[in-house]
Amino acid sequence: MPQKTYLQAISDGLREEMRRDERVFVIGEDVGVYGGAFKVTQGFQAEFGPWRVLDAPLAETAIVGACTGASLMGLRPVAEMQFADFISCAWDHLVTVAAKQHYRTGAALPFVVRCPSGGGFSGGPFHSQNPESSFAHIPGLKLVCPSTPEDAKGLLIESIRDPNPVLYFEHKHLYRRIKGEVPDGEYTTPFGQARVHRPGSDVTVVTWGAMVYTADEAATVLAARDGTSVEILDLRTIIPWDRDAVLESVAKTSRLLVLHEDTRTGGFGAEIAATVAEEAFAQLDAPIVRIAAPDTPVPFSPPLEKAFIPQIDDVVQAISRLAAY
């Protein structure tokens, strides 16, 4: 299979669905002539025309509102938030209207909101957030957080074909940094099925997005240093999430570390920890540990941002403590 970057995989998945299904169109700020802030849609307007690659004004509520109306009329919009942070402007329409439309009327509402998320570029508090946990509490929304190029494409196609709203969080730090094998042509990656990124027997790490690679580097350090065997579960989707895979891994290792880049209080890691505590407490040999960002805005300063985002050493130290129980 060809090697592609995470960004190329997203672009390919979107392009292939637009070629396959004329109902699919793109809308967002600078997605057309400019090709998107990160060039995911570069060349799309030349291929599909301005009526299927729509440059929108700086109005996220209008973008999401247009998606709602268009999907009710049988189209399949894919909106791009220039940065995931900006989705807060569309909170009311997304949460009050779109998420509840199927419950209220039984109508399908098939649209995707692509959300470039995450830090690592000193973008500061308005361009670096990971807001997936904010939406995990909202019934009617599905939340997708791919970490590999293969999943980025397969999960995007699955999202576009889903009959109801999907928030697709693509981590900016992975765009050109991560490459991997990506099948050509059409395939989907199902929601709610975690992926074993790295098998292990001593400690389970549950994570998603860019933190998969932080966990993997920490596991490599520990394996070389003292032979600690770390199993890394990549959830791939937050809503729905794969409870069975997490519980199965915890039953094997008896130790759980939950790792995410979002802030700690109210982060989705708390939901995972609570579920394991309720359903697998007798199988635990150590307290459940969470590693997350502190409860502050994302700093601009590169050293402060590094202190804010969980680092390899943080994970190494936490796993070492868990393995010592």
Side-chain angles (χ1 to χ4, degrees):
M1 290 187 291
Q3 291 274 329
K4 296 185 179 181
T5 65
Y6 184 88
L7 185 148
Q8 288 170 328
I10 294 169
S11 184
D12 284 358
L14 181 55
R15 182 183 291 105
E16 288 177 18
E17 278 300 278
M18 292 183 72
R19 289 171 176 170
R20 185 191 69 85
D21 187 346
E22 291 186 352
R23 297 173 299 171
V24 180
F25 72 91
V26 174
I27 183 171
E29 298 157 8
D30 295 325
V31 297
V33 175
Y34 188 66
F38 301 99
K39 303 302 182 183
V40 171
T41 55
Q42 189 167 32
F44 276 48
Q45 196 172 79
E47 178 174 353
F48 299 107
W51 289 108
R52 291 187 67 198
V53 187
L54 297 168
D55 277 320
L58 303 180
E60 285 76 17
T61 299
I63 292 169
V64 174
C67 289
T68 300
S71 59
L72 282 171
M73 297 304 293
L75 301 178
R76 290 184 173 264
V78 178
E80 179 186 297
M81 297 289 108
Q82 201 165 72
F83 290 85
D85 315 57
F86 302 164
I87 200 171
S88 59
C89 298
W91 173 272
D92 180 59
H93 189 89
L94 187 62
V95 168
T96 307
V97 180
K100 296 174 175 61
Q101 186 66 25
H102 180 70
Y103 176 80
R104 294 168 62 195
T105 70
L109 207 71
F111 73 85
V112 179
V113 183
R114 290 181 40 240
C115 302
S117 59
F121 292 97
S122 301
F126 307 116
H127 300 83
S128 308
Q129 295 177 75
N130 290 271
E132 65 268 15
S133 298
S134 301
F135 294 95
H137 188 65
I138 309 302
L141 300 177
K142 295 185 176 74
L143 312 179
V144 175
C145 301
S147 66
T148 68
E150 182 177 3
D151 283 346
K153 179 180 175 181
L155 285 169
L156 180 57
I157 295 174
E158 181 79 0
S159 298
I160 294 170
R161 297 181 184 182
D162 195 87
N164 281 295
V166 178
L167 303 186
Y168 179 93
F169 294 96
E170 50 197 65
H171 200 290
K172 301 190 298 295
H173 199 46
L174 301 181
Y175 273 151
R176 294 174 175 85
R177 187 168 67 95
I178 298 300
K179 294 187 74 172
E181 292 185 341
V182 179
D184 285 326
E186 177 184 327
Y187 70 94
T188 61
T189 302
F191 294 159
Q193 293 186 15
R195 178 182 66 90
V196 179
H197 177 79
R198 181 181 183 126
S201 56
D202 295 328
V203 177
T204 295
V205 177
V206 176
T207 188
W208 55 89
M211 286 292 104
V212 168
Y213 300 98
T214 301
D216 188 68
E217 292 187 51
T220 299
V221 170
L222 287 160
R225 191 181 72 185
D226 53 28
T228 301
S229 176
V230 179
E231 177 147 296
I232 300 172
L233 275 187
D234 173 11
L235 281 188
R236 301 202 281 196
T237 63
I238 300 301
I239 300 294
W241 68 282
D242 194 344
R243 291 170 171 80
D244 291 342
V246 172
L247 293 170
E248 181 180 343
S249 182
V250 169
K252 178 170 64 174
T253 67
S254 300
R255 296 169 178 84
L256 173 63
L257 170 69
V258 185
L259 169 65
H260 58 72
E261 190 176 325
D262 190 16
T263 49
R264 179 181 176 88
T265 301
F268 196 72
E271 178 67 24
I272 298 168
T275 299
V276 172
E278 289 173 349
E279 300 185 24
F281 182 77
Q283 295 169 310
L284 292 171
D285 288 339
I288 299 169
V289 173
R290 286 181 291 158
I291 295 181
D295 296 330
T296 71
V298 186
F300 273 114
S301 161
L304 289 178
E305 186 189 43
K306 186 175 180 180
F308 175 87
I309 297 172
Q311 301 294 315
I312 296 167
D313 287 346
D314 301 323
V315 182
V316 167
Q317 293 173 23
I319 292 175
S320 295
R321 292 195 300 270
L322 273 174
Y325 273 90

